[in-house]
Each structure stands twice: as structure tokens, then as C-alpha cells.
Amino acid sequence: MSSVLAIFLQELPGPVLVLGIFLPVTLLLLLLIAYFRIKLMAVEEELAQTSDRQNKFGPSLRKRMR
């Protein structure tokens, strides 16, 4: 198995391996991390606003429902 890997690495130049495979995959992963971080911050902000509204109007709404 190691000989197959050694032959593959000998036939494929290093820059092609780095620029063609590792760099695009790394950039894609970083892009996904940034995207999900932005989405998470938006959801956290929305939850905070919802929590503020519940704390502000919660008791009066509960009294009306009873």
C-alpha cells in the first residue's frame, strides 16, 4: 500500500497537489465555517430579541390568558 502512495506522489508534482487539492478544500472549509458563524450570530440575536419581548410582555399576556 505504501508503494502505491509513493508512486502516486512521485508522478504528481507537489505544487499541483497543494494548489489543486489541499488549497481549494481548505478554502471551502473556511468559507463554510464563516457562513455558519454568521448564521449562528443571526439566530442568537433573534433569540435575544425574542427573550427580551417575553420578559417585557410576558406577565401581562399570561394574566390576559387566565
Side-chain angles (χ1 to χ4, degrees), residues 33-51:
I33 290 169
Y35 173 76
F36 285 122
R37 182 177 178 208
I38 291 169
K39 286 291 187 181
L40 181 62
M41 289 188 326
V43 169
E44 285 177 347
E45 182 179 332
E46 186 177 331
L47 284 175
Q49 289 175 355
T50 304
S51 175

Side-chain angles (χ1 to χ4, degrees), residues 15-45:
V16 171
L17 186 66
V18 171
L19 295 176
I21 297 173
F22 294 129
L23 187 64
V25 171
T26 303
L27 292 176
L28 178 65
L29 289 175
L30 290 173
L31 185 65
L32 284 172
I33 290 169
Y35 173 76
F36 285 122
R37 182 177 178 208
I38 291 169
K39 286 291 187 181
L40 181 62
M41 289 188 326
V43 169
E44 285 177 347
E45 182 179 332

